[in-house]
Amino acid sequence: MRRRLTSEAVRAAAVTTVAALAAAGLALPATAAPPPTAAPPAAAVVARPVDAAAFSAPQRVRLITGDVVTLPSAGRPMSVTRSPGSRSGFSVVRTSDHTYVVPSSVRSLVGRLDLSLFDARALAKRPAATPVTVTYDSTSTPTAVPGVSITKRSGRTATGVVTAASSAALAKALRTRSAASVFRGVSGITAAAPTVRPTFPMHTVKVRLVGAGGAPVEGLVILANVDDMRKAVTFGVAIGGEARVSIPTGHYQAAAMFGDETSSGLVVRPETTVTGPTTLRIDTRAATARPSVTTPQPTDTSFASLDVNRVDAKGYGSLSLGMLSFGDQPLLYSPVAADEVVHGTLDSGYAHIGTERGEPATPSYQYDLGAAFPGSLPSRIDLSPAPSDLMEVTHSYLGSTNRSHLPALVENGISLPSGNGIGVGFQRTVPSRLTVFSGGSEGVTASASYTASYDWETNVGSEYLTSAERPVVPGSSRTEEWNRRPSHPSILRSVGPFPVCGACLQDGYLSLVLPSFSDNDPNHWGLVDDPARVAWTVSSGGKVMRSSTGPLVDFLELPRGTAPVVIQHRETMKRLGFADSTTTTSWEVPRTAGGRITGERCLDGVGPCRSLGMLEPLYRLPIGTSGGMTAGRHTGTLTLAPYLSDTSVTSLAVDVRYGSGPWTTVPWHRTGPTTFTLDLTVPRSGGPASLRVRANDSASSTVSQTITRAWTIAP
C-alpha cells in the first residue's frame, strides 16, 4: 500500500564547493564534503517540490559594468542583456554554487577587479546595493571610482556599494574609454567574503598563457580536479601571461579564456597531472576551430554561445565553461576528442541566435539554433538547417512604449539536452511582432519571456511574463500573443520538460501552482515582482489550510471528508504608465471534479492522481495597446477552461460597470461547451470598466472573478 505523501522531497546532498577568492589564485575549499543523504525506502512516495521562484519576477543582476544577467529558473535559461552601446562578449564559468559572467570589456583587469564582482548568483542576494572594498595605488589617488558609490575612505582603502546608478555610470564611461584608463589609480575592487583555507597539501602551479611567437597573453585560467572537484576548482588571472595557483595533487582539466571586444577564445586541455610544484603552458594558438552557421534567411550574428561541461570521475562535481559573443565577434576554440578524456566525462554545446539582417532595433524574424555534442568538443560545428528542420513561432508583443516611455525586453532562449542553456535579451518598442525559428539537435527546447516595460537605468520593469521550455518540433508552427489584457491568475499547464500539475489531488494531498498576472495565452504565466500585491487563502470544510502572499505555489494536506476546496485570490497588477488593476477570484471546487491523471504530472511523479477541476477564465477582448476600448458595440470571446477535465459550463453571468455606475448585464451566446461570444457596449463617457464573471460547470465547480480597471474608454 502506498504511504502518505510527505511535504518535502528527499534530496541527495549536492556535493559542490564554494570559491575562496584570492588575488592570484581562487581555489575552492578542499575540506571533505558530507556523504550523500540516504535515499528513502522504495515503497515511499515523495512529493516533488515546485520552486516558487519560477513564478516570481526574474532575478536580473546588474554587473558593475551595467550588463544584466537574468538568472535561470524553471522554464527559462540564463540570459544576458548588454548595456546600451556595449560591444562586450562574455566569459561564463558555472559551478553548482557560482555563476561568473565576465565582460570582455574588463577581462584584462580581472584580478584588480575581483571575480566576486561578476558572480551573478552571489550578487543576486544583494541586488540593490552590493558592498565592496576598494584599494587605491596611493593615498593621493582620487576617491571617486567609476561603478562604485564610495561611502568611506581611509588612506589607500575605501568601502562603497555598487548600485544600479553607479553601474550605469561605468557602462557609459566604457563606451568611450578603455577599462585601464577608467580604473587608473585603482589596484583592487572586491565583493568577496573571507577566504576558506584548504586542508589538503597544496602545490604552487605556474600557468603560462602564450600566443603568437610565444608572446604572453592575458586571460582567465581555470583548473579543475577531475578526480574529485571537491578538492579544487581554481581560478587564476594571467597577468603578463602568467598566473599562479595553489592546488593539491591530482588529475586536472586546464582551460584558458582570453580575448577582447573583437574576439573570444577558449582552450581546453582535458588531462593534466599535478604531483608537485610545476609549470603549465597553455598556447592560445590551439584555438583554431570556429563554428559555422547558415540560415534560410539572411541574419546578422547577434549572439553565439559555446559551452564545455566536465563532470569529475566520482560524479561529485561539475564545471561549465562558456564563451558568449555578440555581433560579428569570432568565437574560437580548441577541439577535444572523446579519447582525450580519461577522468570523468566531457560534453559540449553550441547555441546561435541570429536576427534579421540590417534590422538591429526591431527585427521581424530571428533564428535560435542549438546543438549538443556528448563526449567531445568537435573540430567541426556546422549548423545549416533547412526550413523543414525548424519550428516557427510568431510572437505578438502587446504593450505601449509610447505610453510607458520605456522599451520592452524580449528574451528568447535555447536549452540543450546536456542541461546547458542560454538566452539573450533585446530591448524593442512595442507593440511589435517577431517570428522565431528554432531548431538543432534532438532534444533541444526553446523558451521565451517578455517584460512589457523595462528601464535599464534602474533595472526595474513591469508586466513580467514567461513560458516553459518547449520541445522543438521540426516543421511545426504556431502563434503566441503576449500581454493581452485583462490579466488574471492562471492554472499552470504541464508542458514538455516542465511536468508540473497546476491543481492536483493525490492520497489526501493537494498541490497548487497558480501564477499571478497571467495573460490570456494558456501556455504563458505571469511573474510576481512584489509579493505584497498578491494575497490568497486555501480552505476546505471551513478550515483554512494556508493564507499567504506572493505566488500561490503550495502543497497541502486536506482535512478529512469530502468538503470542496475553496480558493480566494486577489492580485493588483502594476503597469508602468497605466493605473493599477485588481483581479479578485474565488473558486469552489468539489474534490471529485476533474480528470484522472498518471505519470510525471502527479504529485509523486507516478500516479494515478486527479486534477482539481478549477475553471479558468480566458479573455479575448478588443482592448487597444493603450488599455482602452472605443465607444460603441464590440464582440469579445470568453473561455471557461476546466483544468484537465472535460466538463461543460452549465451557468454563466457576465456583468460590466463603468466607474461607480451600476452593474449591467453583458449579453452572450454559447459557441461550445466552454466557449462564449460576448456582446459588449461601451458608452461614450464614464470611468474605467470593471468586469465580473460568474460560472458553474457540470461537475459543480464554480468560479467568480472581478477585474477592476479592465479597460478604459478610449477617445
Side-chain angles (χ1 to χ4, degrees), residues 395-479:
H395 299 272
S396 294
Y397 301 108
L398 303 183
S400 178
T401 299
N402 287 338
R403 185 74 176 264
S404 68
H405 306 295
L406 291 170
L409 182 62
V410 171
E411 296 172 282
N412 290 286
I414 282 285
S415 294
L416 304 176
S418 60
N420 282 98
I422 197 69
V424 63
F426 297 101
Q427 295 185 44
R428 59 188 294 147
T429 58
V430 290
S432 63
R433 291 165 64 90
L434 173 67
T435 299
V436 178
F437 300 93
S438 303
S441 300
E442 183 178 355
V444 165
T445 60
S447 63
S449 61
Y450 175 60
T451 303
S453 302
Y454 178 66
D455 186 352
W456 172 80
E457 292 279 354
T458 61
N459 201 26
V460 173
S462 75
E463 301 158 85
Y464 300 92
L465 293 158
T466 194
S467 65
E469 295 176 81
R470 299 195 212 176
V472 170
V473 180
S476 66
S477 64
R478 68 174 186 272
T479 60

Side-chain angles (χ1 to χ4, degrees), residues 508-674:
Y509 285 80
L510 170 65
S511 175
L512 291 172
V513 182
L514 273 61
S516 297
F517 308 130
S518 299
D519 61 11
N520 291 282
D521 186 312
N523 293 308
H524 300 164
W525 66 80
L527 302 171
V528 176
D529 58 337
D530 180 357
R533 288 180 171 266
V534 180
W536 50 268
T537 299
V538 182
S539 61
S540 181
K543 178 183 178 180
V544 175
M545 293 179 285
R546 192 93 73 215
S547 183
S548 189
T549 58
L552 202 177
V553 178
D554 212 342
F555 177 74
L556 304 161
E557 184 176 8
L558 291 168
R560 292 182 180 274
T562 60
V565 175
V566 177
I567 302 169
Q568 296 174 313
H569 188 282
R570 180 184 176 88
E571 62 185 41
T572 300
M573 167 64 105
K574 177 186 72 174
R575 300 180 190 272
L576 296 181
F578 299 86
D580 291 352
S581 64
T582 298
T583 302
T584 304
T585 311
S586 297
W587 289 275
E588 184 170 331
V589 190
R591 301 186 193 186
T592 55
R596 186 178 185 275
I597 305 170
T598 60
E600 288 188 278
R601 290 181 295 179
C602 290
L603 280 64
D604 64 352
V606 180
C609 61
R610 292 188 64 85
S611 64
L612 184 67
M614 302 169 65
L615 290 172
E616 179 184 352
L618 296 170
Y619 305 90
R620 188 168 184 84
L621 307 178
I623 300 173
T625 57
S626 293
M629 200 181 299
T630 58
R633 189 172 176 178
H634 299 275
T635 298
T637 60
L638 169 66
T639 300
L640 291 155
Y643 187 70
L644 300 183
S645 66
D646 56 1
T647 60
S648 59
V649 174
T650 55
S651 69
L652 173 65
V654 183
D655 306 285
V656 67
R657 73 174 179 185
Y658 291 88
S660 58
W663 288 102
T664 60
T665 299
V666 175
W668 54 265
H669 69 270
R670 184 187 293 270
T671 56
T674 60

Side-chain angles (χ1 to χ4, degrees), residues 72 77-78 92-101 121 235 305-307 309 318-322 324 419-422:
M78 187 188 86
V92 180
V93 181
R94 285 180 272 198
T95 68
S96 298
D97 301 301
H98 301 274
T99 299
Y100 299 102
V101 183
R121 289 174 65 180
F235 302 81
S305 169
L306 179 69
D307 289 291
N309 310 306
S318 63
L319 173 71
S320 175
L321 305 176
L324 280 62
N420 282 98
I422 197 69

Side-chain angles (χ1 to χ4, degrees), residues 142-506:
T143 296
V145 177
V148 180
S149 176
I150 300 296
T151 55
K152 183 180 179 180
R153 178 174 178 175
S154 176
R156 293 182 57 241
T157 303
T159 55
V161 291
V162 176
T163 65
S166 67
S167 62
L170 176 56
K172 293 172 183 176
L174 290 173
R175 293 176 195 170
T176 57
R177 298 168 57 194
S178 69
S181 68
V182 168
F183 289 103
R184 183 174 290 115
V186 175
S187 57
I189 305 176
T190 181
T195 299
V196 179
R197 298 299 177 189
T199 58
F200 293 108
M202 307 296 280
H203 307 294
T204 298
V205 176
K206 296 179 183 179
V207 183
R208 291 191 175 154
L209 193 60
V210 300
V217 174
E218 296 192 341
L220 185 63
V221 174
I222 307 97
L223 277 77
N225 187 301
V226 291
D227 301 314
D228 185 344
M229 288 191 194
R230 293 175 300 176
K231 292 183 177 180
V233 175
T234 304
F235 302 81
V237 181
I239 300 174
E242 182 174 298
R244 297 193 180 197
V245 297
S246 186
I247 55 178
T249 296
H251 300 98
Y252 284 82
Q253 173 180 278
M257 296 174 165
F258 54 93
D260 52 27
E261 293 183 359
T262 63
S263 65
S264 295
L266 171 65
V267 172
V268 177
R269 290 176 54 180
E271 299 287 342
T272 296
T273 302
V274 173
T275 58
T278 188
T279 298
L280 301 178
R281 187 173 186 268
I282 300 178
D283 195 330
T284 62
R285 288 171 293 182
T288 56
R290 179 176 178 177
S292 173
V293 176
T294 304
T295 53
Q297 299 179 84
T299 62
D300 292 322
T301 303
S302 297
F303 167 83
S305 169
L306 179 69
D307 289 291
V308 180
N309 310 306
R310 191 70 182 264
V311 177
D312 66 31
K314 293 187 176 181
Y316 279 134
S318 63
L319 173 71
S320 175
L321 305 176
M323 300 294 290
L324 280 62
S325 67
F326 285 76
D328 56 358
Q329 299 167 337
L331 198 161
L332 304 173
Y333 66 94
S334 63
V336 178
D339 59 5
E340 294 182 73
V341 179
V342 178
H343 300 87
T345 61
L346 179 146
D347 61 65
S348 60
Y350 178 71
H352 167 95
I353 295 178
T355 59
E356 179 183 8
R357 182 169 295 170
E359 293 291 339
T362 311
S364 64
Y365 63 82
Q366 175 175 311
Y367 286 87
D368 292 5
L369 308 175
F373 307 102
S376 70
L377 176 56
S379 58
R380 178 177 171 80
I381 297 177
D382 183 12
L383 301 182
S384 302
S388 59
D389 298 328
L390 301 171
M391 178 175 72
E392 177 181 344
V393 182
T394 299
H395 299 272
S396 294
Y397 301 108
L398 303 183
S400 178
T401 299
N402 287 338
R403 185 74 176 264
S404 68
H405 306 295
L406 291 170
L409 182 62
V410 171
E411 296 172 282
N412 290 286
I414 282 285
S415 294
L416 304 176
S418 60
N420 282 98
I422 197 69
V424 63
F426 297 101
Q427 295 185 44
R428 59 188 294 147
T429 58
V430 290
S432 63
R433 291 165 64 90
L434 173 67
T435 299
V436 178
F437 300 93
S438 303
S441 300
E442 183 178 355
V444 165
T445 60
S447 63
S449 61
Y450 175 60
T451 303
S453 302
Y454 178 66
D455 186 352
W456 172 80
E457 292 279 354
T458 61
N459 201 26
V460 173
S462 75
E463 301 158 85
Y464 300 92
L465 293 158
T466 194
S467 65
E469 295 176 81
R470 299 195 212 176
V472 170
V473 180
S476 66
S477 64
R478 68 174 186 272
T479 60
E480 293 190 25
E481 190 174 54
W482 295 82
N483 203 32
R484 174 165 287 281
R485 302 183 185 190
S487 65
H488 50 79
S490 61
I491 309 166
L492 186 71
R493 283 168 166 75
S494 176
V495 177
F498 196 46
V500 176
C501 183
C504 276
L505 299 160
Q506 187 174 358

